[in-house]
Amino acid sequence: MTLTEKIIARHSGKSEVVPGESVWVDVDVLMTHDVCGPPSIGIFEKQFGKDARVWDKEKVVIIPDHFIFTEDKYANRNVDKLRAFAADQDLPYFYDVGTDEYKGVCHVALPEEGFTRPGEILFGTDSHTCTAGAFGQFATGIGNTDAAFIMGTGKLWVKVPETMKFIFHGDDMPDYLMAKDLILKIIGDIGVDGATYRTMEFSGTGVQQMDMESRMTLTNMVIEAGGKNGVVDPDETTMEYVRKRTDKEFTPVYSDKDADYHSVYEYNMEDIVPMVAKPHSPDNKATAEELEGTELDQAYIGSCTGGKLSDFKAAARIIQGRELKMDTFVVPATTEIANGLHEETVNGQTLYEIFTQAGCHIGNASCAACLGGPSDTFGRLQDKEACISSTNRNYPGRMGSKNAEVYLASPYTVAASAVTGTIADPRKFISN
Amino acid sequence: MAQTATKDKETTDPSSTIITGKAFVVGRNVDTDQIIPAEHLVYSLDDPEEKKFYGRYSLSGVPDKQSGLPQGNIPLVEEGEFESEFDIVIGGPNFGCGSSREHAPASMQIAGIQAIIAPTFARIFYRNAVDGGFIIPFESEEDLSQIIETYDELEINKEDQVLINHTQNKTHNLRPLGSVEDIVMAGGIFEYARKTGMIE
């Protein structure tokens, strides 16, 4: 069996499952946030009663992150609803806005807080919940109704997915390349529905040498190919990260060598060059080199996909000592990463110093303009701007305006473009 | 399955066999940000007055030229209205890709849409439409967004799994609902779980 099949089998009380089979599984973690939490709670209370208790308060995690730094009265009311529910249910894992507990983007906060444990099942009311598969967890996005069902029962039905395997060969990632380039390449090759209903499993020496943040970039974007979940077999890198963040017991599982796969794709990392997804689809692929000279109005570095500490370190390597040619927004995914900007250095300067000296606009940890949001959202596109972004989606209107054009790229390519004024190939700034 | 009927629309019993009404056509890869833009995700789905806004903004993120094909520039819901004059949405491949927001199929139901037909669906949208009992997602054998035109009069026969286009005098096959049929017929995951004794 594959890693995904093994986790589903174990959580459904079966010795074996096969793709296509529908089974009920026991849930280890349910995560929700400020956009989908309130309606999920509404359904939970309607279906199970006003006095109903969640099935296991240790397993419900609420991370407000979407519409946080806004004057929008409805958005703020929704955070109040989460607050009231967390207090009423006495939930230990509620990361409230305006407190020291506040984290920011859920998909990066979940690993930081030790909820992405290998071999477990995580459901979240957000499509990028698949990010946690980087840790060898079965993790996927669900809607409000399913979340409410889990709140009351601790169970959910799943259809066992087939697995597509993606192998990256090569011992060292070329210095100008990032995991974002690899996943944009895959999505460009298989299309935005190329993995619909399936698992995307990443392996090979190229993946083994990646740190957790890079693996998270790969699994984060499987939803952009329609994937149900993404996984990487856990290894020492995984264990080291998870053990630092939690004392809870867990049992990792691994794909069998003779497991059946829907298909296998192989790539040599040396053959891949910096990639860009053109408007208005993540599979509208081009190389950064092909798009050189394309006019831009704004650069954006942030989100669960491209707002992690290693993403900012990459951007800082290029921005350091150079002049920005456009508005450049920097939004750390979490408060831990925001603190890291003051600690992590490039050539003796902190990332924060590098970004502020260059004139970047630095925002508070949250999803911010990745998904547009209320009109006063930091970095949001308002009209016909062209933006290059380290985020995950560029369908019409995603970053706030359906007249805008969004190019998706790695933090290297975004930074190279920000200091050039047009789309630029980062290989001009970073050689191998 | 209660709907706020502002235009005397008939509410549909999930177990009834026939769905009839006017077609609204969009193209491929219509993602959930186009179905309901994120800025509108602030309204309560529990408050009947606030909830109506999801109907007003349903499919409002679709670029104007691709809204109401083949002509384009036709909104699903007229500006200032809360409910659509259309009944059945016809989409291209990979309908509902993108985010997991259940507000997407909910917004279509609130606008008065009863079914969505596409050759393929993104997984989470499909699941949300079924488990929440909002609208029935039918898979078609062909990409009907290339054939059916906005305003065509349609009839879906659930039992025979066919779609009749009365305007064009054509019949198209729909795929069986398969493993989700029981949940669709029950009207959602909660109704299904109660029927089967999983929950009280």
Side-chain angles (χ1 to χ4, degrees):
Chain A
M1 285 190 285
T2 64
L3 185 158
T4 297
E5 289 156 10
K6 283 185 185 177
I7 294 177
I8 293 175
R10 186 195 288 166
H11 286 74
S12 60
K14 292 173 180 254
S15 55
E16 199 178 3
V17 293
V18 290
E21 183 179 359
S22 286
V23 295
W24 290 88
V25 293
D26 292 322
V27 179
D28 295 303
V29 183
L30 171 68
M31 187 283 302
T32 190
H33 52 49
D34 56 300
V35 168
C36 295
S40 300
I41 292 164
I43 297 168
F44 169 74
E45 290 178 345
K46 185 177 156 211
Q47 294 289 347
F48 295 101
K50 281 272 175 207
D51 300 325
R53 311 300 291 172
V54 298
W55 99 102
D56 186 339
K57 65 181 186 176
E58 295 288 325
K59 294 182 177 176
V60 177
V61 181
I62 302 184
I63 308 179
D65 60 356
H66 275 57
F67 305 155
I68 306 303
F69 303 100
T70 173
E71 297 293 318
D72 189 287
K73 65 173 181 176
Y74 295 111
N76 290 322
R77 182 268 320 267
N78 290 343
V79 177
D80 291 341
K81 279 192 185 176
L82 295 180
R83 195 172 288 133
F85 183 73
D88 180 45
Q89 297 278 339
D90 193 22
L91 299 180
Y93 304 117
F94 170 53
Y95 299 93
D96 198 2
V97 180
T99 71
D100 290 344
E101 292 296 306
Y102 177 71
K103 295 292 163 202
V105 181
C106 57
H107 310 300
V108 183
L110 282 167
E112 286 177 355
E113 295 299 302
F115 294 108
T116 54
R117 296 174 291 255
E120 292 196 350
I121 291 187
L122 161 72
F123 287 107
T125 60
D126 192 288
S127 61
H128 291 109
T129 303
C130 52
T131 310
F135 296 85
Q137 191 175 36
F138 175 80
T140 191
I142 55 169
N144 310 331
T145 300
D146 285 348
F149 193 89
I150 295 172
M151 276 183 195
T153 65
K155 290 180 188 297
L156 193 62
W157 70 274
V158 292
K159 194 160 135 186
V160 182
E162 293 181 293
T163 298
M164 299 169 82
K165 189 175 192 175
F166 298 85
I167 304 170
F168 286 100
H169 298 291
D171 290 333
D172 287 309
M173 178 117 77
D175 201 21
Y176 48 80
L177 216 59
M178 298 187 73
K180 182 66 172 284
D181 297 303
L182 308 188
I183 191 67
L184 285 177
K185 168 76 177 153
I186 290 175
I187 297 165
D189 286 352
I190 68 173
V192 286
D193 54 0
T196 298
Y197 285 93
R198 301 195 195 108
T199 301
M200 294 172 76
E201 183 174 309
F202 302 96
S203 63
T205 50
V207 178
Q208 287 160 8
Q209 52 88 29
M210 282 183 194
D211 60 18
M212 288 316 303
E213 289 197 346
S214 299
R215 296 179 191 186
M216 286 164 67
T217 306
L218 291 180
T219 51
N220 173 272
M221 285 190 75
V222 303
I223 184 66
E224 266 53 78
K228 179 174 199 148
N229 67 316
V231 285
V232 176
D233 262 346
D235 61 10
E236 277 178 31
T237 308
T238 319
M239 294 305 165
E240 195 194 324
Y241 185 105
V242 178
R243 286 286 175 223
K244 269 189 201 159
R245 309 283 180 151
T246 182
D247 297 328
K248 195 171 179 287
E249 288 298 312
F250 56 87
T251 313
V253 294
Y254 310 89
S255 285
D256 290 329
K257 289 223 160 43
D258 62 350
D260 286 328
Y261 288 94
H262 168 273
S263 47
V264 179
Y265 294 76
E266 297 190 52
Y267 294 91
N268 287 311
M269 289 196 298
E270 296 78 35
D271 299 340
I272 299 174
V273 297
M275 299 295 295
V276 175
K278 296 179 285 182
H280 295 282
S281 183
D283 65 358
N284 196 8
K285 74 172 167 184
T287 64
E289 191 174 21
E290 286 166 351
L291 298 179
E292 277 192 328
T294 305
E295 296 287 338
L296 295 168
D297 301 300
Q298 178 176 319
Y300 187 95
I301 309 167
S303 82
C304 52
T305 312
K308 302 181 266 24
L309 196 59
S310 52
D311 296 314
F312 293 114
K313 189 163 186 179
R317 284 182 69 190
I318 292 179
I319 290 175
Q320 186 170 45
R322 293 195 171 92
E323 194 186 327
L324 294 172
K325 300 282 169 51
M326 65 188 76
D327 274 336
T328 301
F329 293 85
V330 165
V331 188
T334 62
T335 49
E336 184 174 316
I337 293 166
N339 293 334
L341 296 182
H342 293 278
E343 288 153 18
E344 191 73 28
T345 58
V346 173
N347 299 322
Q349 250 191 323
T350 68
L351 305 187
Y352 187 84
E353 285 165 353
I354 293 166
F355 292 139
T356 45
Q357 265 180 26
C360 296
H361 309 287
I362 303 181
N364 291 309
S366 68
C367 299
C370 172
L371 79 162
S375 58
D376 60 351
T377 300
F378 182 79
R380 183 183 191 269
L381 302 181
Q382 307 290 5
D383 194 14
K384 289 183 181 164
E385 303 96 325
C387 174
I388 189 158
S389 176
S390 71
T391 55
N392 43 57
R393 277 186 198 133
N394 61 345
Y395 293 111
R398 170 68 177 179
M399 290 184 73
S401 166
K402 63 179 177 181
N403 299 320
E405 300 205 310
V406 176
Y407 294 84
L408 304 176
S410 78
Y412 272 153
T413 304
V414 174
S417 305
V419 298
T420 304
T422 54
I423 292 181
D425 188 328
R427 286 176 292 182
K428 291 212 168 128
F429 298 87
I430 290 171
S431 57
N432 204 16
Chain B
M1 301 291 286
Q3 293 176 358
T4 43
T6 54
K7 283 187 190 168
D8 299 328
K9 278 205 168 180
E10 288 173 27
T11 54
T12 311
D13 173 350
S15 60
S16 76
T17 328
I18 307 285
I19 298 171
T20 55
K22 246 186 265 176
F24 181 82
V25 184
V26 290
R28 64 188 305 129
N29 298 333
V30 171
D31 81 312
T32 54
D33 275 281
Q34 294 177 69
I35 299 172
I36 183 74
E39 65 187 295
H40 304 306
L41 300 178
V42 295
Y43 305 116
S44 168
L45 278 161
D46 302 315
D47 179 309
E49 284 307 305
E50 270 184 53
K51 184 178 166 177
K52 289 199 291 191
F53 285 92
Y54 286 106
R56 170 168 290 179
Y57 297 116
S58 189
L59 286 170
S60 67
V62 177
D64 298 348
K65 282 182 189 160
Q66 281 127 50
S67 183
L69 295 173
Q71 188 188 321
N73 293 302
I74 305 167
L76 179 75
V77 180
E78 286 289 339
E79 204 176 325
E81 296 291 328
F82 290 107
E83 197 161 334
S84 177
E85 62 179 301
F86 301 99
D87 310 278
I88 297 168
V89 172
I90 306 293
N94 201 28
F95 187 88
C97 57
S99 90
S100 65
R101 64 190 69 159
E102 188 166 299
H103 313 66
S107 79
M108 293 172 72
Q109 184 203 37
I110 296 164
I113 301 304
Q114 300 183 39
I116 160 75
I117 302 175
T120 56
F121 288 93
R123 186 191 68 84
I124 309 177
F125 178 90
Y126 183 87
R127 187 180 173 106
N128 286 345
V130 169
D131 279 3
F134 298 108
I135 44 171
I136 305 178
F138 289 103
E139 288 179 328
S140 52
E141 289 181 354
E142 315 156 81
D143 179 1
L144 299 178
S145 68
Q146 304 288 323
I147 301 168
I148 293 172
E149 302 193 354
T150 298
Y151 292 112
D152 280 1
E153 290 292 342
L154 306 180
E155 177 181 330
I156 297 169
N157 185 317
K158 284 199 252 178
E159 211 160 60
D160 300 340
Q161 292 150 18
V162 291
L163 171 72
I164 303 160
N165 186 333
H166 291 295
T167 308
Q168 297 189 18
N169 257 327
K170 284 180 186 162
T171 302
H172 306 282
N173 290 331
L174 302 175
R175 294 185 193 281
L177 287 167
S179 59
V180 301
E181 186 174 357
D182 291 344
I183 302 176
V184 169
M185 291 309 169
I189 189 176
F190 280 101
E191 291 74 8
Y192 172 79
R194 287 210 173 85
K195 230 170 145 178
T196 54
M198 237 189 111
I199 58 171
E200 284 178 7

